[in-house]
Amino acid sequence: MEVSSGAMSPVLRKLGELLLDEYNLGEKVKKGVKSLLTELELMHAALRKVGDVPSDQLDEQVVIWAGKVRDLSYEMEDVVDDFLVRVDQGSSGEPMTMKSRVKKFLKKTRKLFSKGRALHQISGAIQEAQGLAKELADLHTRYQIDMTSTSNGATTSNGATIDPRVIALHKDVEKLVGIDRARNDLIKILIGEDGSPKEQLMSISIVGVGGLGKTTLTKAVYEKIKAQFDCAAFVPVGHKPDIKKVFKDILYGFDKEKFKDVHNTTRDEKLLIEEIGEFLVDKRYLIVIDDIWEEETWRYINCALYKNSLYSRVVTTTRNMNVSEACASSGDDMIYKMKPLSFEDSEILFHRRIFQSEEKCPHDLLVVSTEILKKCGGVPLAIITIASLLASKQEINEKDEWSHLLASIGRGVTEDAILKDMKRILSLSYYDLSSHLKSCLLYLSIFPEDFMIEKDWLIWMWIAEGFIQCDKEESRLFKIGEHYFNELINRSLIQPTLINGEGMVVACQIHDMVLDLICSLSAEEKFVSILDRAERHASNLQWKVRRLSLHNSKAKFPNHRFDITSLSKLRSFVVFSPATCDWLPSLSSLQFLRVLDLGNCGGHESISCISLKYVGNLLHLRYLGLKNADVHELPVDIGKLQLLQTIDIEGTRIEKLPASVVHLTHLKCLCVDKRTRLPKGMGLLTSLEVLKGVNISLSPHIVKELSELTKVWMLSIDWSKMDVDLTNVLIKSLGNLLKLQILEIWNGCRLIDLMREGWMLPPHLHKFESWGNWSKCADLFLRLPKWINPTSLPVLSSLIIDVEELQGGDIQIIGMLPALRFLWLGAVRVMGKLVVGADAFTSARECRFKGFPVTPCLFPPGAMPRLQRLRFEVSAQLIASGEVDCGMAHLPLLELVWAMLQDDNSSYEQIGKAKAVLRGAANAHPKHPIMVIIL
């Protein structure tokens, strides 16, 4: 029901703005707006009270009432949006805010305004909404709806819902699968079996998504070693804990006899903290704090822990990486990231649960069993839940039953009680989110399972939908969206699948079981409709659809066509299948569309039946995604879309943008193909923040116009075949982009070398990439630019640069950049001896060196303390002769090494010996990094 509350927020904001004096709506209309606003604010307050309660625990009247309020808020927002668009449908060369649209309309057509259709419609809509609001208020009173009452869910005698995690505390650890190694590793660390134990208090924080088995693992560790401590306590914390009860549980766990009455006392937090500290002052203790949700909770608990030097240990578990980092903040502490089970262990667990033995799976079920396990992704909770479901069937050997279950996993169609247990556990993370994060997470239900979701793409869609709001004008919505994305990663609700050299997540996926949850919640809230298999989703079209995701164009429906009225208020239309269906709607009928993404339809002619001819009529459109689609042109009247924020035509066949694009004064993100010509007047797009794929040779006028785009923070340009006379103009324009953070230059010719001296650096540059053609040295810097130094680039985290001449001290200069995490450094020749100090590359995660010989021994102990990936080139002859030391044990965190053997006429014998030496060096490393040898 929190989505209902979230749907209310935008319309409250917009109605409030309509009441400003500048919007001379007339007293009757203004009075109606005020009355409606009051009613909606009261409803919003009531909705927030139930936002944290699962719908299956609410009385039916509450669910019905909240759904009607949600529909009312959507309808009212559509009316207000439609009114504002009607006020000004023409194109304009200036930014059109809500105030300016109304003012312009009043000035030009005051007479029409008093009699016009727009005012009549909004007046009538407000009266209708007032009536419905009063009706809903009467319904609330008539049935005395209790916003906090519950009607479903397992409860104890006092009405409290049973925490499903309690079951995990009573598992027979001897029958667990796949945790032996992790359990043994943790035990060695905790009690010092792998060396001298640490006297100081040490913490281990175990982090991972719900269902991975954190509680089970820590319980197994706890039971194995608790006898070695003077006192021990295992304390579940959970969501929104009572801190006093947590402290009392700790005391009771330490000494059940001494503190048998502790839960009956009225002592406050301060006294309980003192009592715990006094009890622990001379004891070696073990504490497991299970399932911490907030950093503040840990800070309270940490206050009570006496920091003695008696080999005491603390283990915490959490789903949130930020919390884990807070729990393991001192030098001797560590974070342990839970990993999914291997396929072999998954199979053992799965078959043991169904057949009581991993060796008794019938041969004809092996294939479908494998596919089911792939969908479970190594998550023990998912495996056990699905296995329990199959084991509960009378005919567990029925292949059709297994196949049916496989087809249903990931879309929330199976309502068995066992699956609900897993859903209840996963939903704990969902109901802990704020309303804006709930909307962002539910929006992910538009994506097919196992789909890799690009972070930037997702954030721009969130912005277009209005999920990201900020009252501060100086704040970038995209930056806020990144915080939202990272929060979902930290809470283990989405999984990072693509991490760049800086260690930043740039793409994610959703575990099938989380997708199952959010699809189920999204369906309950009528948030997204998914068209996949008709037998499962046809019913979703019986109500007005707000967001539509097409996964299967071959689905069959009655009459083979959508009911146009059900799509009249569609806000998002996203296609993930070749859209060659005769029942797809005409874009001209989707008047309220905000997001249109056709970039994942497939190959050529994949959207042949979707005409872009009427895109210019979609006056509410904020996001137009056509990446890699078979599209040849945009409509000439696209400039009418005054609310458009994002255009992505990368990988299309569009050769030029219409001239009217320069009127899109709200455009924030423009991604074009390198074959696309830009119109003159691009300097008018003063709201632009991201500009990618610009081919300067096709649009030379952009060189000067760039200086007007002062909000741009990401710029990608191709300088191939460009007139050198414009080089200085471009450098001057770049100097005006003070907010620039990311600059990519392709085929820079002599542009980049002129930048070596004359470029005025933006203060917040954190990524500089120059990609050239090594066959043409004109594409390379002659030498390392002087502006590459710690003073000029304090926040640079990624550097890709090629030079003709690398001086001996250049690597040390680069290594002193304080924030550098990723480096790609190429050189044609080296002048002098390369020198690197022990204080270099303190933040680097990945370094790649190209074109010149370098080995790990160039970096002395102390340098590169965080390096995980290293690429270097070296002579096979020198390795084989023993002249080059390939040892890498002094780089403590190495995980992956690429070693390229240079073409120096080495013999097969020398190459073989060099390979053996390199692999031996990797095996001698404590972390045994993966060694990839390239010839």
Side-chain angles (χ1 to χ4, degrees), residues 313-592:
R313 302 291 182 258
V314 177
V315 181
T316 60
T317 72
T318 180
R319 304 182 186 193
N320 191 320
M321 179 59 73
N322 291 338
V323 174
S324 187
E325 291 171 350
C327 294
S329 57
S330 68
D332 291 326
D333 298 342
M334 68 170 290
I335 294 174
Y336 183 89
K337 295 182 180 180
M338 284 289 290
K339 297 179 180 179
L341 295 179
S342 67
F343 183 80
E344 291 74 18
D345 285 336
S346 298
E347 199 169 36
I348 292 171
L349 181 62
F350 187 67
H351 292 160
R352 183 180 292 176
R353 174 64 185 90
I354 300 174
F355 306 108
Q356 287 76 51
S357 170
E358 57 269 25
E359 301 174 353
K360 292 185 179 180
C361 180
H363 181 75
D364 62 330
L365 294 178
L366 286 175
V367 174
V368 67
S369 168
T370 298
E371 294 303 314
I372 290 174
L373 287 175
K374 285 181 181 179
K375 288 207 172 191
C376 290
V379 176
L381 176 62
I383 296 167
I384 292 172
T385 302
I386 298 301
S388 298
L389 178 61
L390 288 171
S392 67
K393 306 294 184 182
Q394 290 184 349
E395 297 293 335
I396 61 174
N397 291 344
E398 286 291 332
K399 185 176 180 180
D400 289 343
E401 185 72 33
W402 285 50
S403 299
H404 177 75
L405 179 62
L406 171 64
S408 68
I409 294 176
R411 283 294 164 202
V413 298
T414 304
E415 294 298 333
D416 191 279
I418 300 175
L419 282 178
K420 289 183 178 180
D421 288 339
M422 182 175 65
K423 177 181 175 182
R424 190 180 301 117
I425 293 175
L426 294 176
S427 67
L428 289 172
S429 292
Y430 171 79
Y431 287 104
D432 185 60
L433 297 174
S434 56
S435 59
H436 56 271
L437 282 177
K438 283 191 175 81
S439 296
C440 290
L441 181 62
L442 289 190
Y443 196 72
L444 295 174
S445 62
I446 69 172
F447 296 101
E449 54 191 285
D450 301 324
F451 190 87
M452 190 172 75
I453 306 164
E454 295 181 22
K455 179 186 73 173
D456 291 8
W457 173 36
L458 176 63
I459 292 174
W460 287 118
M461 295 174 84
W462 281 345
I463 292 173
E465 273 279 2
F467 299 150
I468 302 174
Q469 297 290 333
C470 183
D471 296 330
K472 297 180 180 179
E473 189 173 338
E474 66 274 10
S475 298
R476 285 194 290 111
L477 294 181
F478 189 88
K479 190 69 174 179
I480 298 172
E482 284 188 307
H483 292 317
Y484 290 3
F485 182 88
N486 293 339
E487 183 68 14
L488 294 178
I489 289 284
N490 287 338
R491 290 172 175 266
S492 302
L493 288 168
I494 56 179
Q495 301 173 326
T497 53
L498 187 60
I499 300 175
N500 64 16
E502 301 172 70
M504 308 296 290
V505 179
V506 295
C508 71
Q509 283 182 317
I510 316 169
H511 189 278
D512 285 337
M513 299 306 157
V514 177
L515 184 61
D516 176 55
L517 171 69
I518 63 175
C519 285
S520 175
L521 293 170
S522 182
E524 290 175 9
E525 294 283 355
K526 299 180 181 178
F527 192 76
V528 172
S529 291
I530 302 165
L531 295 182
D532 188 358
R533 289 184 285 277
E535 67 273 13
R536 297 167 60 184
H537 298 285
S539 60
N540 289 352
L541 299 179
Q542 296 176 359
W543 36 267
K544 289 185 178 180
V545 179
R546 298 288 172 178
R547 298 168 186 91
L548 180 62
S549 181
L550 176 62
H551 295 179
N552 183 2
S553 64
K554 297 181 180 180
K556 299 298 182 182
F557 294 90
N559 303 324
H560 302 282
R561 187 171 294 276
F562 290 132
D563 179 2
I564 296 301
T565 59
S566 69
L567 299 176
S568 60
K569 299 300 178 67
L570 195 66
R571 295 187 178 192
S572 283
F573 182 36
V574 186
V575 181
F576 295 96
S577 171
T580 55
C581 316
D582 58 358
W583 43 259
L584 281 172
S586 168
L587 293 181
S588 60
S589 65
L590 309 180
Q591 298 180 17
F592 289 91

Side-chain angles (χ1 to χ4, degrees), residues 665-707:
T665 51
H666 281 91
L667 197 66
K668 295 179 181 294
C669 176
L670 177 60
C671 302
V672 300
D673 192 76
K674 290 182 180 180
R675 74 180 79 185
T676 306
R677 193 183 307 271
L678 304 181
K680 292 183 178 180
M682 294 291 291
L684 295 174
L685 302 179
T686 54
S687 296
L688 207 61
E689 298 179 9
V690 173
L691 181 57
K692 294 179 62 177
V694 177
N695 190 327
I696 300 293
S697 64
L698 294 178
S699 309
H701 51 85
I702 192 67
V703 172
K704 185 175 181 179
E705 293 175 317
L706 272 175
S707 63

Side-chain angles (χ1 to χ4, degrees), residues 805-810 829-835 852-853 858:
E805 294 183 358
L806 186 69
Q807 304 299 313
D810 285 350
R829 55 186 174 272
V830 176
M831 309 300 292
K833 183 178 180 181
L834 297 175
V835 179
F852 61 101
L858 175 65

